[in-house]
Every structure is written in C-alpha cells, then in structure tokens.
C-alpha cells in the first residue's frame, strides 16, 4: 500500500502517526481465533499484526524499505500504549507486546491524535516579522537614510521594480566609495538569504510552522560556509568541540579498512571492537547531531524524499545542515563519510551476525542523528529514513552550496555600491532610494525600454563590420518591429539613403506633362 505522501508542513510527525493508524485499522485482516478452548472473533495475533504492518511500512513512500521487523514491533508496542489496539480483556497502556500468538483487537474509540493549530512558543506573522521580533539574535537591518532597504535578493528585485533608483551617476566627476559592512551585517545577509531560499524550496508560505526563529544563528551559517577544508569538511578553530583524537583514529581505521594505520596489533573481532567504540561515543552524545531545535524542520524534509523530488530534497538538506552548529556539522560530515565507505566496502568483515553492514550503520546511528526532545512515536522510523538518504547523497548535501555563495556575494556587492552625493550642509552623506508613484514608475519603465531599443538601432547603424546587404536586412527587420523608433531615427528617405550613399528609395513625384494629341494626316 503506497498511501498518500504527507507533504511538508507543521506537525508532520503527528500527521504521519494518524496516517499509519488509519491504514492499519482499515487494512489489518480480522478473523476468528481459538485460545484456551474459546473462540474470539474480529481479532488478530501479534505475529500477524507484525507481518502486515511491516509490509505496509516498507511499501509506504513516507518510510521506505529500510524499516526492520524490530522497528515494527516497537511501533506496535506504541500502538498498545496509545490505545490503538488492546488485548482481548480490554487492557492497554503497557508495552509488553511480543512476536507471538497473543490476541489483540481494535478498540471502539478513535486513535487519531489532534494536530495542534500552532506551536505555542511561535508567534504569528510573516518571516520578516519573525526576524524583527528576535532580540538581536537575527535582527533584520534597520532601515534609515544611511542603510539600503534591500535585505535579501528576492526583496531587492521586488523593491527595484517598485521604487525609482536615484540617478546618482549623472555627474561623472563625483567620487564613489564602498559601503563598509560589519561582521554582523554580513552574518545577517547569510541568514536572510539562506532562509529565503529554504522557504522557496519547501514551498511554504512561512517557515514559522517548522522552524523556531529564536534558534537561528546566522553566524553558524557563515562559519559553515567559509571555514572548510579542501574536502568541504568544517574546520574548527576551537579544538575543544572537535571529536576526540581516539575517536578520529577509530573512524579513520574503519573508513580505510583493511589499510589499518593504527599502531596497535589487530586480532579476530578487532573491527567489531573498534566499531563499538565509535558507536558508543556517538550514542552517548547529549544531543542529536541535527539538534532538538531543528527536529520539526528535518522531519518535514522527509516529505520531499520522493524519486521526482530528489533534487529538491538535496537542496533543502544542503541549506538545513548549514543551520547546525559548526561542531555538529563537522561530526555529521565525518560520520556520514565513515558509514558510507563502510557500507560500500566489500572487504569489510561482517560486523553483525543477523544484519548487513548498511542496515547496521542505519540502525546504529539513526537515533544519534535525529530524535525529538520529547518522545515521538515515529522517531526511529523517521530517523532511519533520513539517515539512509544522507548516506546515499552526503557528498552533495554536506558540501558548500555554490548557488547560495553566489547569491550572498552578489548581494554584498550590491550593498557596497554606495555613491557620494554633493548635498547641502545637514543632509545625509549617502542617498539611496526614494518612493515614486505608479505612474512615474510606468513612465520610467517605458523610457528605459525605448532608450535600450534606440541604443540597439545605433549599434546596427554604426557597425562597420556588417556588409551593406546584411545591414539593410537588419534595419528592415527593425523597422518592421519598431516602426515608431525607426521613424524617429530616419524621418525621411533622404536620411536613410544618406546612410548607404544611395539615391532615395522613394523618388519625388515628377511634373507630368500632357502629351499633345496628333490627328492623322491624310494624303
């Protein structure tokens, strides 16, 4: 059963829970069973429920084939705890469900959870208003006479279409000097443009439903983009936040197996002990690598993990991973590089008796990559789905996105185009924009377009490399497309003929004399 795709939006985990319980209640086969010399109708065994639900989750596009049977058992235990199912005596709340023939049934009450309308800590308002409400953590630039009004690329383009740019280049003798931007200004630019791109990729009217603006630190984005090694891995200036040396050595050993550079001698089962050392370190971290704050955001990215949306998901994850603290991003990069190499290494010995290397990597590290601060019923399934995608696309996802770097550089260059204007005493030293009416904007738009077309005509006229025949052909085509502009440049045929040194193409009317009538002469 494919099921419908739960698209990105607020409280996606709760919506997925309701989706799974709905399909389970609607599709789970019910029949008669005998137990303790008694017959019970409309029920099912735990093993039957595990088989059916496991197949459902594997075929559902919201979860994927990575779901294991053990994860299905864990989900059924949560079903029992949340009264989605109950035993034959009507008992529920305990999580003692096992893979056996104990009988269960559906209660008469609905198990659907209520989706909250809005997170109580997040206020209403547009993305820009949210930024303004933050106490300096991510303040938008304060607009004044000395500060440009453009605060991101999309807004800059819109502002340019609705405001008249003061003509500051009329006097060529005026001196120009670049605007000095502080570190805080540049960090704000990184944060604003990143979130604008992310909102556009997710196709959400606002990010406030999936991202707590109080947790955004634009300095992290700038650091993750500008402090990287030649392989794109974040370089930490403060080594106290880095991985311990012994963990790095163990990860390098596993990633490059069997080329072991460690000085210690190996023994049978050595690779399992090294893997256990690395796993214990990551599993004992106090917070997941993607942090508790961004749980809702990354869960929503899972809605994009469809074959036709793969490129969109990669770009969204590129931006989301830039929000992480640099130490978390570095650990995530190194972990993904290690487990990806291990899962593809045919020489890697079997690390688990009942599980392949790829499945072991996903099941082991999913909880240390993504989980919620509060218990969420689908945590393990959602984390498995995300880690699987990260493993397959980590080189693209965790590299520096060039499109974002270009956008930021262009915007910084725009802000630095400040011109000195001769003004009277007491006036501001820098002048940027002024509001104009819609009529003035339309007039300027037409005038600018006509000027550009006129410039094109002059370039054709003055092009000495064009043959006469080609130039006449281009001018004829231009005259057909823009007759008014052509007539203003060549008002008479003489002016057109003078260009080519020919006679006028249209001759002036000549005096027509009446021919004398002759009568026939008879002889």
């Amino acid at each position: 059963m494919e099921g419908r795709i739960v698209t990105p939006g607020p409280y996606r985990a709760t919506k997925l829970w309701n989706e799974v319980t709905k399909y389970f209640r609607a599709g789970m086969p019910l029949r008669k069973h005998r137990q303790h010399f008694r017959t019970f109708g409309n029920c099912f065994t735990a093993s039957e429920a595990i088989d059916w639900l496991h197949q459902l989750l594997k075929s559902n596009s919201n979860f994927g084939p990575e779901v294991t049977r053990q994860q299905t058992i864990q989900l059924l235990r949560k079903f029992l705890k949340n009264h989605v199912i109950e035993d034959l005596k009507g008992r529920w709340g305990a999580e003692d469900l096992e893979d056996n023939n104990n009988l269960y049934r559906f209660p008469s009450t609905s198990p659907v959870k209520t989706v909250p309308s809005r997170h109580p800590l997040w206020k209403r308002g547009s993305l820009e208003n949210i930024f303004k409400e933050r106490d300096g953590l991510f303040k938008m630039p304060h607009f004044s006479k000395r500060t440009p009004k453009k605060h991101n690329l999309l807004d800059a383009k819109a502002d340019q279409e609705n405001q008249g740019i003061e003509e500051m280049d009329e006097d060529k003798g005026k001196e120009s000097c670049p605007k000095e931007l502080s570190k805080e200004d540049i960090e704000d630019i990184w944060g604003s443009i990143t979130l604008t791109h992310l909102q556009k990729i997710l196709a959400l009217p606002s990010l406030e439903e999936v991202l707590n603006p109080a947790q955004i630190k634009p300095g992290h984005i700038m650091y993750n983009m500008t402090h990287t090694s030649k392989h794109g891995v974040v370089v930490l200036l403060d080594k106290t936040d880095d991985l311990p040396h012994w963990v790095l050595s163990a990860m390098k050993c596993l990633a490059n197996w069997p080329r072991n550079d460690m000085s210690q001698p190996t023994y049978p089962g050595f690779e399992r002990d090294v893997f256990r050392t690395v796993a214990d370190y990551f599993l004992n971290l106090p917070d997941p690598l993607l942090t508790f704050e961004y749980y809702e955001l990354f869960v929503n990215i899972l809605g994009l993990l469809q074959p036709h949306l793969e490129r969109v998901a990669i770009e969204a994850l590129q931006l989301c991973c830039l929000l992480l603290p640099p130490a978390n991003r570095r650990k995530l990069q190194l972990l993904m590089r290690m487990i990806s190499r291990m899962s593809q290494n045919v020489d890697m010995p079997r690390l688990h008796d009942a599980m392949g290397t790829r499945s072991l990597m996903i099941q082991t590290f999913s909880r240390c990559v993504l989980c919620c601060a509060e218990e969420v019923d689908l945590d393990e399934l959602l984390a498995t789905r995300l880690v699987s995608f990260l493993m397959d696309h980590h080189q693209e996802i965790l590299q520096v996105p060039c499109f974002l770097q270009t956008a930021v550089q262009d915007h910084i260059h725009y802000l630095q185009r400040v011109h000195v204007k001769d003004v009277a005493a007491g006036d501001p030293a820098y002048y940027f924009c002024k509001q104009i009416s819609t009529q003035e904007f339309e007039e300027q738009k037409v005038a600018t377009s006509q000027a550009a077309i006129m410039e094109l005509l002059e370039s054709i006229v003055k092009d000495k490399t064009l043959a006469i025949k080609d130039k006449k052909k281009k001018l004829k085509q231009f005259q057909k497309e823009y007759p008014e502009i052509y007539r203003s440049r060549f008002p008479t045929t003489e002016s057109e003929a003078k260009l080519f040194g020919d006679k006028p193409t249209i001759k002036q009317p000549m005096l027509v004399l009446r021919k004398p009538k002759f009568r026939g002469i008879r002889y």
Side-chain angles (χ1 to χ4, degrees), residues 133-400:
E133 291 169 0
R134 302 194 36 217
D135 299 330
L137 288 176
F138 187 80
K139 58 182 184 300
M140 295 296 292
H142 296 288
F143 301 146
S144 66
K145 292 182 179 179
R146 306 178 69 89
T147 306
K149 289 187 177 182
K150 281 75 178 178
H151 47 79
N152 62 47
L153 284 182
L154 299 182
D155 290 344
K157 185 176 181 180
D159 290 346
Q160 196 170 9
E161 294 176 352
N162 292 281
Q163 294 178 344
I165 305 300
E166 181 70 13
E167 297 179 358
M168 297 173 290
D169 296 327
E170 292 180 354
D171 300 327
K172 296 182 180 179
K174 294 178 182 179
E175 181 184 1
S176 63
C177 62
K179 171 70 175 178
E180 290 294 335
L181 296 176
S182 66
K183 181 181 179 181
E184 290 74 16
D185 292 335
I186 296 177
E187 288 179 354
D188 286 345
I189 294 171
W190 278 105
S192 177
I193 294 180
T194 300
L195 296 182
T196 301
H197 277 283
L198 182 59
Q199 181 177 345
K200 183 178 179 181
I201 291 173
L202 294 179
L204 293 174
S206 173
L207 288 178
E208 61 178 298
E209 302 286 4
V210 299
L211 182 62
N212 187 346
Q215 305 297 337
I216 301 170
K217 293 180 174 57
H220 289 169
I221 302 174
M222 179 178 171
Y223 190 99
N224 290 331
M225 289 286 295
T226 56
H227 292 74
T228 59
S229 67
K230 63 180 181 179
H231 300 294
V233 179
V234 172
V235 177
L236 299 178
L237 300 180
D238 185 1
K239 299 301 181 181
T240 59
D241 295 331
D242 202 353
L243 289 166
H245 176 72
W246 53 272
V247 175
L248 283 172
S249 298
M251 294 176 69
K252 184 178 180 181
C253 173
L254 294 172
N256 298 323
W257 190 272
R259 298 192 302 273
N260 179 20
D261 297 332
M262 301 180 68
S263 58
Q264 292 84 357
T266 60
Y267 51 85
F270 172 78
E271 65 283 349
R272 292 194 178 195
D273 290 342
V274 175
F275 175 72
R276 194 175 298 112
T277 299
V278 175
D280 288 343
Y281 171 81
F282 280 96
L283 294 175
N284 288 322
L285 291 174
D287 296 332
L289 296 180
L290 300 183
T291 74
F292 291 128
E293 292 82 5
Y294 299 135
Y295 173 81
E296 189 73 24
L297 178 62
F298 281 99
V299 166
N300 275 274
I301 302 297
L302 291 172
L304 302 174
L305 302 188
Q306 312 301 327
H308 64 289
L309 294 175
E310 183 175 289
R311 174 51 50 185
V312 178
I314 290 175
E315 291 185 3
L317 285 171
Q318 276 184 333
L319 298 178
C320 291
C321 289
L322 289 173
L323 304 178
L324 301 174
N328 288 48
R329 179 176 170 88
R330 174 175 170 81
K331 291 174 184 176
L332 181 66
Q333 288 175 311
L334 296 176
L335 177 63
M336 288 298 116
R337 287 163 64 93
M338 183 197 75
I339 64 178
S340 178
R341 289 186 182 183
M342 291 178 64
S343 63
Q344 299 173 9
N345 188 358
V346 295
D347 296 325
M348 175 62 65
R350 195 173 186 86
L351 301 174
H352 194 277
D353 296 333
M355 195 180 302
T357 303
R358 177 183 172 85
S359 298
L360 178 63
M361 298 297 107
I362 295 173
Q363 302 306 324
T364 301
F365 295 105
S366 59
R367 293 286 295 180
C368 71
V369 173
L370 177 71
C371 69
C372 186
E374 301 176 359
E375 182 181 4
V376 177
D377 300 310
L378 297 177
D379 251 2
E380 191 171 351
L381 295 177
L382 297 176
T384 298
R385 178 84 163 133
L386 182 60
V387 171
S388 176
F389 190 81
L390 284 173
M391 280 182 60
D392 295 335
H393 304 280
H394 71 96
Q395 290 183 342
E396 290 183 89
I397 292 172
L398 296 174
Q399 69 178 358
V400 173

Side-chain angles (χ1 to χ4, degrees), residues 95-112:
E95 296 188 15
D96 57 353
L97 184 144
E98 299 294 341
D99 193 352
N100 54 29
N101 290 323
N102 288 349
L103 296 179
Y104 296 88
R105 66 187 181 189
F106 291 119
S108 57
T109 57
S110 173
V112 176

Side-chain angles (χ1 to χ4, degrees), residues 9-68:
Y11 303 100
R12 186 172 182 271
T14 303
K15 294 177 181 178
L16 285 172
W17 169 269
N18 291 339
E19 186 81 3
V20 173
T21 54
K22 181 187 73 173
Y23 277 108
F24 182 61
R25 283 175 63 92
M28 179 64 205
L30 305 176
R31 60 187 181 88
K32 291 182 179 180
H33 288 83
R34 288 183 59 85
Q35 190 177 76
H36 305 304
F37 305 104
R38 294 181 60 186
T39 301
F40 302 92
N42 295 325
C43 58
F44 50 85
T45 66
S47 296
E48 291 172 346
I50 294 170
D51 292 338
W52 193 90
L53 183 59
H54 187 208
Q55 188 60 36
L56 168 69
L57 295 174
K58 289 175 63 177
S59 60
N60 190 289
S61 55
N62 291 304
F63 300 100
E66 301 289 348
V67 179
T68 64

Side-chain angles (χ1 to χ4, degrees), residues 118-127 129-130 133-135 206-209 211-213:
R118 188 176 295 269
H119 196 288
L121 297 178
W122 301 350
K123 300 179 180 180
R124 292 181 179 270
S126 65
L127 185 63
N129 291 333
I130 289 176
E133 291 169 0
R134 302 194 36 217
D135 299 330
S206 173
L207 288 178
E208 61 178 298
E209 302 286 4
L211 182 62
N212 187 346

Side-chain angles (χ1 to χ4, degrees), residues 75-88:
L75 181 56
L76 277 171
R77 289 173 179 170
K78 294 181 184 295
F79 279 177
L80 183 61
K81 180 180 179 180
N82 290 275
H83 206 193
V84 177
I85 60 176
E86 61 183 17
D87 65 10
L88 295 180

